[in-house]
Every structure is written in structure tokens, then in C-alpha cells.
């Protein structure tokens, strides 16, 4: 078992008994490595964002919070490459793209060595031109859609007349090949209805 396989197996072992803990000694015996190696692996998992935790004490040990993880997903090679291409193609102006690098690392860690190598090779050959939406504006729109919060925007009509509008973002859309994201919103606050007006660019 190589290190990538062991990291994945450690997560699965902790998930299977969650929320009960396992000691470093028990895990070292289980995976036939030294306690120092297990400790290093667990710290690497925690640093990567995996919700593994350590609790001190006689009944303590390492555990994983089941409420913060998804069940195992078995992907075919083609499915893994499709996910990798989507993650690699998530430019900074793509909604919710801030989680893409971490998701790519976790995807590679969950795959076999050959599949992970294919994923990394594919990702290294996907390049995008910079988007036009600033990170600050994008994050505000993301939160508006996620938390159903009202947003105040500057709106320009077809004649070029600008006004300040309070809108309820209903979703995000992107025209195929256009490379521009739009936020569909209803004017006038809650109840305005998604699609009751046109869409405006979140930039």
C-alpha cells in the first residue's frame, strides 16, 4: 500500500467507526507502519482540510466528524477525468471556484496512482484566460444566492440610465461559450420572483 492509498484508507477507517476514535498505535498496527508515519499522515490529512480531529486523554485518539464528510463515491476513470476537467476549468470568476483546488487534491488522493497521474496531467494542460468579474463582487453574489440575501446593485437599462436596485438573487446562469456568468434576480425584495425581470451581470 503506497502513501496515497494509506491516506484514503485512514479516512475510511475513521469514517467507519465515527464518532469513536482510534489511537495512533492501533492505526499503526492496522496499516503495518510506524506510529510516527501514522501521526504524519493524520496531520497531513488535517492540513488538507479533511475533518480529522485529535482528542487527548485515556479514551482519546483520532476521529472524523461524520456530519462534515460525504459517503464514499466510486468514480470510473472517465468520471474522474470529467470532474478533474471541470475543476481545472473553474477560473477565478466562476461561482464557488474557491473550493476547486482543495477538491482537486482530495480527488487525486482518492484515486489509484495511475488515475491520479492522469488527472494531474489533464489539469496541467487546461488553461483559461482571466475573467472580468472581481473576486469581491463574485463572493457577494455567491452569498446572496446561497443564503437568499437581498443585494443592492447599480442597474443600467437599455437606454443607459443607471439606478440603484434592491434585488433577490434567484440563481446563476452562463450562456454556452459566452464565458460570462449572470445572476438572475427579482426586483423589489422577497417575493419578486426569479425571472420576473431580466438578468444582470454580477460585475
Amino acid at each position: 500500500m503506497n502513501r496515497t492509498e494509506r491516506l484514503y484508507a485512514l479516512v475510511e477507517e475513521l469514517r467507519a467507526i465515527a464518532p469513536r476514535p482510534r489511537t495512533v498505535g492501533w492505526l499503526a498496527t492496522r496499516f503495518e507502519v510506524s506510529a510516527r508515519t501514522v501521526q504524519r499522515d493524520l496531520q497531513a490529512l488535517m492540513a488538507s482540510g479533511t475533518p480529522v480531529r485529535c482528542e487527548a486523554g485515556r479514551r482519546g485518539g483520532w476521529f472524523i466528524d461524520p456530519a462534515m464528510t460525504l459517503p464514499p463515491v466510486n468514480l470510473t476513470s472517465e468520471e474522474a477525468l470529467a470532474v478533474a476537467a471541470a475543476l481545472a476549468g473553474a477560473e477565478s470568476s466562476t461561482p464557488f471556484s474557491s473550493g476547486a483546488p482543495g477538491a482537486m487534491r482530495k480527488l487525486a488522493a482518492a484515486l489509484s496512482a495511475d488515475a491520479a497521474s492522469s488527472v494531474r496531467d489533464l489539469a496541467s494542460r487546461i488553461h483559461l484566460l482571466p475573467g472580468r468579474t472581481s473576486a469581491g463582487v463574485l463572493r457577494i453574489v455567491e452569498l446572496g444566492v446561497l443564503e437568499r440575501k437581498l443585494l443592492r446593485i447599480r442597474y443600467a437599462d437599455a437606454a443607459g440610465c443607471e439606478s440603484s436596485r434592491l434585488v433577490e438573487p434567484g440563481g446563476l446562469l452562463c450562456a454556452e461559450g459566452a464565458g460570462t456568468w449572470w445572476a438572475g434576480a427579482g426586483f423589489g425584495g422577497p417575493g419578486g420572483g426569479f425571472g420576473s425581470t431580466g438578468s444582470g451581470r454580477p460585475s
Side-chain angles (χ1 to χ4, degrees):
M1 178 182 293
N2 61 36
R3 185 169 187 259
T4 297
E5 293 170 336
R6 189 172 64 250
L7 289 173
Y8 183 72
L10 277 168
V11 173
E12 291 307 299
E13 177 66 38
L14 295 176
R15 180 186 286 122
I17 64 161
R20 291 174 296 162
R22 289 289 196 202
T23 65
V24 169
W26 190 97
L27 292 169
T29 301
R30 166 69 176 80
F31 294 104
E32 300 179 342
V33 293
S34 69
R36 179 176 296 180
T37 296
V38 168
Q39 188 76 22
R40 186 168 57 244
D41 287 347
L42 291 167
Q43 290 173 345
L45 286 169
M46 188 163 58
S48 72
T50 305
V52 292
R53 304 287 184 266
C54 182
E55 186 175 276
R58 188 168 60 88
R59 296 186 178 181
W62 287 84
F63 63 95
I64 191 165
D65 185 354
M68 297 179 65
T69 64
L70 294 173
V73 178
N74 296 317
L75 299 176
T76 66
S77 296
E78 287 189 357
E79 290 168 344
L81 288 174
V83 173
L87 292 172
E91 59 177 358
S92 60
S93 61
T94 301
F96 311 107
S97 60
S98 60
M104 181 71 84
R105 288 193 298 270
K106 290 176 183 178
L107 174 64
L111 299 174
S112 67
D114 288 343
S117 177
S118 297
V119 163
R120 293 191 186 95
D121 177 64
L122 174 66
S124 70
R125 291 185 284 118
I126 295 178
H127 306 280
L128 296 172
L129 297 176
R132 293 180 293 176
T133 305
S134 71
V137 170
L138 180 62
R139 185 55 182 163
I140 291 172
V141 175
E142 289 176 353
L143 291 174
V145 173
L146 272 176
E147 301 175 7
R148 300 182 181 274
K149 289 185 175 180
L150 299 181
L151 303 177
R152 186 170 294 281
I153 65 170
R154 290 196 309 274
Y155 179 81
D157 61 20
C161 297
E162 288 194 3
S163 61
S164 177
R165 303 288 184 100
L166 191 65
V167 300
E168 179 186 13
L172 297 163
L173 62 94
C174 182
E176 185 176 359
T180 300
W181 284 89
W182 297 70
F187 289 163
F194 177 56
S196 63
T197 68
S199 298
R201 222 178 302 181
S203 59

